[in-house]
């Protein structure tokens, strides 16, 4: 790896500082790429992939990641900006079923088909990542625990007992607890 980097760095001109900086930056790039994708280590050792190809692969990956980031954050920024307007034009209000998109410009943010497609592709790429799937699964588990397995009731009871002790120096009555449970179960 080092000898291939040295050979590539030699093509970067006469300036030692520039060559050293390039060598350092690209060396880190290659090390990071190999750490993230260990399968490439085998390819490198077999000779089917060289350092130049790893650098190009990493640069392409960074470019795609940046484009995905821009697609998602750009859409979110436009939506935030559009939903912060006060007037409610009729066209946007008709398109929107809820008040979030009824503000000026929010519905128009979704009209650009190409932009929607970039956003959808970026969201699909994000959703396919294992850490995202794990996060979604965790959220679903927490919601089930809270809404189905009695977590909301337990929290409501704990809060009511703390409040009762703080205000009255005693636990809530059985009637108060029953009312709290009924209210929590309705949610």
């Amino acid at each position: 790896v080092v000898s291939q980097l040295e050979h590539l760095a030699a093509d970067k001109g006469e300036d030692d500082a520039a060559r050293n900086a390039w060598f350092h930056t690209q060396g880190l790039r290659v090390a990071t790429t190999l750490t993230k994708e260990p399968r490439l280590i085998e390819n490198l050792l077999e000779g089917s992939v060289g350092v130049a190809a790893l650098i190009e692969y990493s640069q392409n990956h960074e470019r795609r990641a940046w484009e995905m980031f821009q697609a998602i954050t750009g859409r979110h920024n436009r939506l935030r900006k559009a939903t912060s307007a006060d007037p409610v034009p009729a066209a946007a209000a008709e398109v929107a079923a809820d008040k979030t998109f009824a503000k000026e410009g929010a519905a128009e943010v979704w009209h650009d088909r190409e932009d929607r497609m970039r956003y959808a592709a970026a969201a699909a790429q994000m959703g396919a990542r294992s850490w995202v799937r794990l996060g979604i699964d965790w959220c679903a588990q927490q919601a089930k625990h809270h809404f189905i397995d009695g977590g909301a009731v337990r929290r409501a009871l704990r809060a009511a007992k703390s409040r009762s002790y703080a205000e009255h120096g005693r636990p809530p009555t059985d009637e108060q607890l029953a009312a709290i449970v009924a209210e929590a179960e309705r949610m």
Side-chain angles (χ1 to χ4, degrees):
V1 172
V2 172
S3 64
Q4 287 184 42
L5 276 171
E6 287 174 342
H7 178 70
L8 292 169
D11 295 338
K12 299 300 170 192
E14 298 293 321
D15 182 13
D16 284 342
R19 276 197 316 273
N20 289 342
W22 183 91
F23 183 92
H24 177 76
T25 301
Q26 299 311 317
L28 288 175
R29 177 188 301 276
V30 168
T32 301
T33 300
L34 293 173
T35 301
K36 287 181 179 178
E37 301 200 38
R39 66 177 172 79
L40 294 174
I41 295 171
E42 293 175 24
N43 296 346
L44 184 63
L45 293 174
E46 293 169 353
S48 61
V49 171
V51 170
L54 287 176
I55 291 170
E56 183 180 351
Y57 173 85
S58 176
Q59 290 170 333
N60 288 335
H61 178 76
E62 286 176 11
R63 181 188 46 77
R64 286 189 310 272
W66 178 249
E67 289 169 356
M68 182 172 54
F69 173 80
Q70 289 298 314
I72 292 172
T73 58
R75 159 95 35 204
H76 292 172
N77 289 338
R78 287 188 302 281
L79 285 169
R80 274 193 288 283
K81 183 179 178 184
T83 57
S84 68
D86 288 332
V88 182
E94 289 171 13
V95 171
D98 64 28
K99 299 207 184 291
T100 304
F101 293 105
K103 294 189 177 185
E104 181 177 358
E108 287 80 13
V109 171
W110 291 101
H111 285 265
D112 181 354
R113 185 182 192 306
E114 186 177 316
D115 194 40
R116 280 195 324 264
M117 296 304 287
R118 276 193 305 274
Y119 181 76
Q125 287 177 5
M126 290 299 295
R129 295 180 178 184
S130 62
W131 63 269
V132 173
R133 296 296 325 149
L134 290 171
I136 292 168
D137 292 346
W138 180 86
C139 289
Q141 180 184 11
Q142 295 305 309
K144 180 182 178 291
H145 172 74
H146 183 77
F147 293 107
I148 296 172
D149 296 338
V153 172
R154 285 190 297 278
R155 274 190 263 306
L157 289 172
R158 192 176 316 124
K161 289 175 184 177
S162 293
R163 194 171 41 255
S164 182
Y165 276 109
E167 292 173 2
H168 308 293
R170 60 177 168 71
T173 65
D174 289 340
E175 294 82 22
Q176 289 170 322
L177 291 175
I180 291 165
V181 168
E183 177 65 26
E185 288 176 343
R186 275 196 299 270
M187 295 198 274

